[in-house]
């Protein structure tokens, strides 16, 4: 049964709607939910892991974003922060960890070793960047990156998850 | 902190094995005894088992790559007497084989695997002489001076 409202009633109805209903798309809701509840996996490989621990500790607090629940099992995690140098011996293990994580999942390459091999890029035993074995969403440079830099990278990932079309725009430094 | 072994004990050791040579390393004065490769196992066994030495601890086992030879170095400590000694031996690069000392000191197990993995020294009698730091299937011994670094793999 169609209802037709008089103009005065219509604006009152709109007001009620705006105050009591949130209209959105499923994408936006899922993006909001996933970006606000990232569960990282403890995959510290080398020195960057110390800075990752600092980022999770009291002074630089990851808990204020909701990301302090580092999971020991990949089955329960959705964010893989590769903190440290990846060696050829460890590469299949990291790939297995990534494959064990359920979708949707994201990867942050933390530090210069994880991004490009860092100071050890030409070594016989170091993989020149974890993107040799797993796809990476955010690269955080630094040796090691300060905890604030890691948090900035995580927040950029949060923006990417909430609004994936952001990655099609160029994100300029200091935007 | 272990002290350097008494010179009288070093002279006694050389008396037991006349082909040895002993020098004091510059810097900290650590006594380094150089043994021929065919005698080094007997020397090490004597240092562990015989009376005045009591070298019950193997501190480290490494190898050194020189242009004409490979030196294998054993650092020994005595927890009973508190003294230390280093034993060196030389092997040819093409035929770098020595008897394993894991029977004397179990700590040699991993150290010999590392020397094999990175420098290519074979230890006969080792219970599990396989690569320890590098992945299986890795070709070459990277810490040798003549190891050529492969070109960096092209980006995926």
């Amino acid at each position: 049964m169609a209802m037709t409202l008089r103009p005065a009633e219509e604006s009152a109805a709109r007001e009620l709607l705006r105050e009591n209903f949130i209209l959105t798309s499923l994408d936006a809701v899922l993006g909001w939910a996933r970006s606000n509840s990232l569960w990282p996996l403890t995959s510290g490989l080398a020195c960057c892991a110390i800075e990752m621990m600092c980022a999770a500790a009291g002074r630089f607090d990851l808990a204020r974003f909701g990301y302090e629940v580092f999971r020991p099992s990949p089955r329960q995690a959705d964010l893989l922060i590769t903190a440290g140098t990846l060696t050829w011996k460890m590469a299949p293990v990291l790939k297995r960890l990534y494959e064990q994580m359920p979708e949707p999942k994201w990867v942050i390459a933390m530090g210069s070793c994880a991004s490009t091999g860092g100071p050890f890029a030409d070594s016989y035993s170091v993989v020149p960047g974890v993107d040799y074995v797993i796809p990476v969403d955010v690269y955080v440079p630094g040796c090691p990156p300060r905890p604030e830099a890691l948090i900035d990278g995580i927040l950029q990932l949060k923006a990417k998850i909430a609004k994936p079309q952001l990655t099609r725009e160029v994100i300029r430094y200091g935007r | 902190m272990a002290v350097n072994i008494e010179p009288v004990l070093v002279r006694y050791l050389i008396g037991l094995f006349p082909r040895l040579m002993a020098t004091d390393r510059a810097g900290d004065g650590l006594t380094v005894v150089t043994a021929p490769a065919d005698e080094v196992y007997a020397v090490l066994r004597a240092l562990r088992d015989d009376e005045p030495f009591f070298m019950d601890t193997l501190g480290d086992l490494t190898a050194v790559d020189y242009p004409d030879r490979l030196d294998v170095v054993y650092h020994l400590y005595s927890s009973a007497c508190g003294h230390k000694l280093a034993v060196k031996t030389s092997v040819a690069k093409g035929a770098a084989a020595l008897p394993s000392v894991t029977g004397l000191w179990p700590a040699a197990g991993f150290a010999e695997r590392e020397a094999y993995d990175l420098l290519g020294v074979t230890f006969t009698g080792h219970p599990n002489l396989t690569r320890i730091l590098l992945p299986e299937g890795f070709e070459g011994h990277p810490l040798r001076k003549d190891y050529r670094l492969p070109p960096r793999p092209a980006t995926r």
Side-chain angles (χ1 to χ4, degrees):
Chain A
M1 187 180 103
M3 286 189 66
T4 47
L5 302 171
R6 293 198 300 278
E9 282 175 355
E10 192 169 325
S11 61
R14 277 190 205 285
E15 185 74 23
L16 266 177
L17 263 179
R18 198 175 58 242
E19 284 174 7
N20 293 300
F21 286 89
I22 303 174
L23 295 175
T24 181
S25 68
L26 194 58
D27 267 347
V29 168
L30 286 176
W32 170 85
R34 287 167 180 161
S35 64
N36 277 293
S37 64
L38 287 170
W39 284 16
L41 174 67
T42 55
S43 65
L45 297 169
C47 1
C48 276
I50 307 292
E51 294 296 321
M52 185 168 69
M53 292 180 222
C54 287
R59 183 176 288 203
F60 301 102
D61 213 7
L62 268 180
R64 56 197 158 118
F65 308 108
Y67 307 146
E68 84 278 13
V69 277
F70 281 80
R71 312 308 300 163
S73 163
R75 302 285 187 195
Q76 302 162 1
D78 55 7
L79 171 62
L80 179 65
I81 306 181
T82 49
T85 320
L86 185 66
T87 55
W88 288 113
K89 191 156 186 168
M90 182 69 184
V93 177
L94 186 71
K95 186 155 179 61
R96 179 179 297 179
L97 280 178
Y98 177 75
E99 288 169 353
Q100 284 178 341
M101 289 165 66
E103 291 279 352
K105 55 191 171 185
W106 300 274
V107 175
I108 292 181
M110 176 186 177
S112 55
C113 287
S115 304
T116 61
F120 314 113
D122 288 322
S123 168
Y124 53 86
S125 59
V126 168
V127 181
V130 295
D131 48 14
Y132 266 80
V133 284
I134 52 180
V136 176
D137 294 285
V138 174
Y139 298 83
V140 182
C143 188
R146 276 194 61 91
E148 295 109 317
L150 175 64
I151 291 175
D152 182 46
I154 295 179
L155 292 178
Q156 292 212 13
L157 179 67
K158 176 183 175 180
K160 175 181 172 176
I161 297 170
K163 197 175 171 203
Q165 54 269 35
L166 260 185
T167 54
R168 290 184 191 42
E169 305 159 16
V170 174
I171 299 180
R172 295 184 201 285
Y173 177 79
R175 61 187 148 81
Chain B
M1 252 326 269
V3 298
N4 290 321
I5 194 172
E6 291 290 322
V8 59
L9 292 177
V10 179
R11 283 198 294 275
Y12 176 62
L13 182 69
I14 298 179
L16 292 174
F17 299 95
R19 291 160 68 200
L20 298 183
M21 285 190 308
T23 50
D24 281 359
R25 185 169 72 180
D28 58 356
L30 173 71
T31 307
V32 181
V33 169
T34 311
D38 51 357
E39 214 173 39
V40 68
Y41 187 83
V43 173
L44 291 170
R45 203 208 49 76
L47 283 169
R48 187 192 70 149
D49 293 337
D50 290 354
E51 271 301 291
F53 307 113
F54 300 108
M55 296 294 196
D56 52 3
T57 308
L58 177 73
D60 195 10
L61 198 170
T62 66
V64 186
D65 186 15
Y66 288 108
D68 51 343
R69 66 189 195 280
L70 274 168
D71 273 0
V72 178
V73 186
Y74 304 80
H75 281 83
L76 302 173
Y77 294 88
S78 172
S79 61
C81 311
H83 56 226
K84 59 182 175 177
L85 178 69
V87 178
K88 277 175 80 158
T89 184
S90 296
V91 288
K93 283 201 203 180
L98 280 175
S100 168
V101 295
T102 44
L104 300 176
W105 298 284
F110 276 15
E112 288 180 348
R113 279 179 71 184
E114 184 189 16
Y116 165 70
D117 187 5
L118 298 173
L119 283 141
V121 183
T122 322
F123 295 92
T124 55
H126 191 283
N128 180 27
L129 195 66
T130 53
R131 288 194 181 271
I132 187 170
L133 294 171
L134 294 167
E136 299 147 25
F138 190 93
E139 304 267 326
H141 299 286
L143 256 50
R144 290 213 180 181
K145 299 284 190 251
D146 53 14
Y147 177 76
R148 292 277 336 258
L149 213 52
R152 200 190 293 189
T155 319
R156 52 210 148 80

